[in-house]
Structure formats: structure tokens, C-alpha cells
Amino acid sequence: MDDFRGQTALVTGASSGIGLALAAGFAHRGADIVIAALPNEKLATAAAWLRARHPVTVHEIGIDLAFEEGPDKLAARVAELDLTIDVLVNNAGFGVHGNYHTLDMEQNHREVMLLCSAVERMTHLFLPGMLERGRGTLINLSSVQGFQAVPHMAVYGAAKAFVLSFTTALWAEYRASGVRILALCPAQTETDFFDDLGYQVATGGRMRTPEEVVATAFRGLRRGRPHVIDGWQYRLSANAPRFLPRGLVARITERVLHPSKMTRPARPPRPLLVDDAEAGANTSAA
Ligand SMILES: NC(=O)c1ccc[n+]([C@@H]2O[C@H](COP(=O)([O-])OP(=O)(O)OC[C@H]3O[C@@H](n4cnc5c(N)ncnc54)[C@H](OP(=O)(O)O)[C@@H]3O)[C@@H](O)[C@H]2O)c1
């Protein structure tokens, strides 16, 4: 069940962090890899890193998935490369933190497009092929924050709740199809994510590592779970709010995530990639 030889895994947002670790996890299990992320140096470095460690074919596709056309362009590049996608991991994402009305309106929109719209579109582009073949794997990245409202990260929390609900529904619909579907829910994990966010909550302990998240993902797949939360302490804390009034949980969270407790400055909003070539065309493989 953990053998992906002869299969191809497409992982979005795999130029760093959890996506790169997941891509390495599938490569380690024999899959050829397509990594897709914003077209920048990080993507090429990540592809080279994978190639140096795993004797599989690694394709890289630079693409901005927060654009309406991003997922279709990515699917078109995959078709041009004549690849069949057996594993899809919708991982690309970022979050922003602050009082909702003070956040950049375009950045909020990009967050929704990337975390909700692109995930749904990518799923619709690649799931039918898996269903036809009676085999495949779909992992969508949610978060422990998908289990509750998240004041000061209102858009992010709502988007991750969307992913959790959407993926769980698909898991139930396609349980007998041969396609494994999983919502992966990490807690605070050591990645570049916090550069965008500009905020880090004291965990009272060490953060999770991307490798631990990957181990949790493969365990969830093996067990056929609809979702899996990384870390036993987060399994408890993500489920606890179910037994408390939603308003109370939101008020407590509002205090914990209050902007006055920011620990580092956020990276400024990224400029839009308006050039078509920049937004998603470059590909290379080895
Ligand atoms: N780290 C955590 O604590 C945590 C917890 C729960 C859930 N998650 C989720 O895990 C996923 C991966 O995050 P991470 O922690 O690994 O962060 P990360 O290291 O910052 O990785 C995010 C990836 O997404 C890419 N990306 C960002 N915007 C994109 C766009 N518009 N189009 C295509 N690719 C884009 C990034 O490329 P660039 O680096 O070039 O921008 C990067 O490859 C996200 O969905 C996140 O919400 C993270």
C-alpha cells in the first residue's frame, strides 16, 4: 500500500516546507514527481534537491495557482508532458494575520483563490481520471485551524474549514472507488509559512517538523481515514472545541492570536504576477 512505483505524484506548493517533504515522501516510495509552485528560484532548488536524493523523474512547473486560470494551465502543462497523475496533493498555501479590515484586500482574495478555488478546481481536473482508472490518491491540506473559527486569521481558518468539509464529503462519496482521499491537518510546523504570516503562537513546546507531518499523512492513507491531525496533543486540542460553544472558543482564540502578540514582522504582500509567462508556463524535467 506504501509502494508508489510506476505512479506519478503532483504536489503543489512543493518548493518548500510540507509540500517538499510530501514530494520527498512519495519519491522515497518510488513515485515520479511533478512539483508545482510559484515560478522562482526556490522551485528549481527544490527540484534539484529531490533529484539528488531520489532516483525518480522530477518535473517542475512554475505556476501561480491563486490566478483563476492557474489550475487549468497546470493541467494543460501536465497533458503536454503526457503525464498521468496518480497522486494529487493540493498543498500550496499561505496565511495572513491581523485584524480583517486592515489586511490587504487583494491578498485576502488571493488567499481564497489559492486555498479554496484552486483546491476545488485541481480536484475536478484530476479526480475523474483516478476514478476511471479505479486507483489514485488525493490529499488536500487543511489544518487544525479548520476545526474552528480563527479570529485574526478569519479568511485562513474559513478556507481550511472549506478544505476539511469538501475533502471529507469526497472521501464518503468515493470510499468504494479505489481512490484514497485524505484531508491532512497539521498544527504549527516549522516551515516558511510563518514568514508570510508574521506571527507565531507560543506552542509551549517544539513545533512539528514537515517529516512528522508526512509520516502522519501516510499513516492516515494506510488507515483509510477521512482526515488526519498531526500530533497527539493537537488531536485533543482540535477536537475539544466540538464540546464548547463556538462563540466561547472564538473569544478565547481571539485573545491568543491578538495582533499585539505578534512575534515578527510579516513579509509584505507579494506583487501580482501579471505576465502570462511568469504566471505559469515554465517547465523542466530530469
Ligand atoms: N506550517 C504550518 O504550521 C501549517 C499548519 C497547518 C497547515 N499548513 C498548510 O500546509 C500547506 C503548506 O504550507 P507550509 O507550511 O509548507 O508553508 P511554505 O513552506 O510556505 O510552503 C507553501 C508553498 O506554497 C507555495 N505557494 C504559495 N503561494 C502560491 C501560489 N499562489 N501558487 C503556487 N504556489 C504557491 C509556496 O511557494 P513560495 O514559497 O515561492 O511562495 C510554497 O512552495 C499550506 O496549505 C498551509 O496552509 C501549514
Side-chain angles (χ1 to χ4, degrees), residues 13-19 36-38 40 42 63-66 91-94 110 114-115 141-143 156 160 186-189 191-194 267 270:
S15 61
S16 62
I18 295 168
L38 289 172
N40 58 33
K42 272 177 70 179
I63 187 83
D64 187 344
L65 288 167
N91 164 83
F94 69 89
R110 284 174 60 77
L114 183 61
L115 297 181
L141 263 287
S142 179
S143 164
Y156 183 80
K160 292 303 185 184
Q188 284 204 85
T189 308
T191 69
D192 294 350
F193 181 81
F194 296 95
R267 185 154 59 186
R270 293 151 196 240

Side-chain angles (χ1 to χ4, degrees), residues 10-12 34-37 60-65 67-85 88 90 118-129 279-283:
L10 167 57
V11 186
T12 71
V34 184
I35 58 172
E60 61 196 87
I61 302 179
I63 187 83
D64 187 344
L65 288 167
F67 266 107
E68 177 77 41
E69 311 79 28
D72 289 63
K73 282 189 176 175
L74 175 52
R77 290 299 301 134
V78 167
E80 277 168 32
L81 293 166
D82 202 20
L83 296 173
T84 298
I85 298 303
L88 171 63
N90 283 309
V119 170
E120 188 280 325
R121 186 81 179 179
M122 288 287 292
T123 301
H124 212 299
L125 287 164
F126 291 102
L127 178 62
N282 42 8
T283 311

Side-chain angles (χ1 to χ4, degrees), residues 83-204:
L83 296 173
T84 298
I85 298 303
D86 305 288
V87 178
L88 171 63
V89 184
N90 283 309
N91 164 83
F94 69 89
V96 287
H97 172 265
N99 288 330
Y100 172 72
H101 77 284
T102 66
L103 296 172
D104 183 85
M105 191 155 69
E106 279 312 313
Q107 187 151 356
N108 279 344
H109 182 65
R110 284 174 60 77
E111 203 176 345
V112 174
M113 292 301 289
L114 183 61
L115 297 181
C116 300
S117 179
V119 170
E120 188 280 325
R121 186 81 179 179
M122 288 287 292
T123 301
H124 212 299
L125 287 164
F126 291 102
L127 178 62
M130 295 182 199
L131 294 171
E132 259 172 44
R133 294 187 292 277
R135 183 183 82 160
T137 304
L138 169 67
I139 301 178
N140 289 335
L141 263 287
S142 179
S143 164
V144 289
Q145 295 193 312
F147 290 82
Q148 60 167 96
V150 189
H152 307 300
M153 291 178 69
V155 173
Y156 183 80
K160 292 303 185 184
F162 169 90
V163 174
L164 182 59
S165 171
F166 172 62
T167 310
T168 308
L170 297 185
W171 171 86
E173 276 185 47
Y174 299 113
R175 258 181 319 158
S177 68
V179 178
R180 293 184 290 176
I181 298 180
L182 178 72
L184 177 57
C185 306
Q188 284 204 85
T189 308
E190 278 176 49
T191 69
D192 294 350
F193 181 81
F194 296 95
D195 295 345
D196 283 315
L197 196 64
Y199 183 84
Q200 210 157 327
V201 188
T203 53

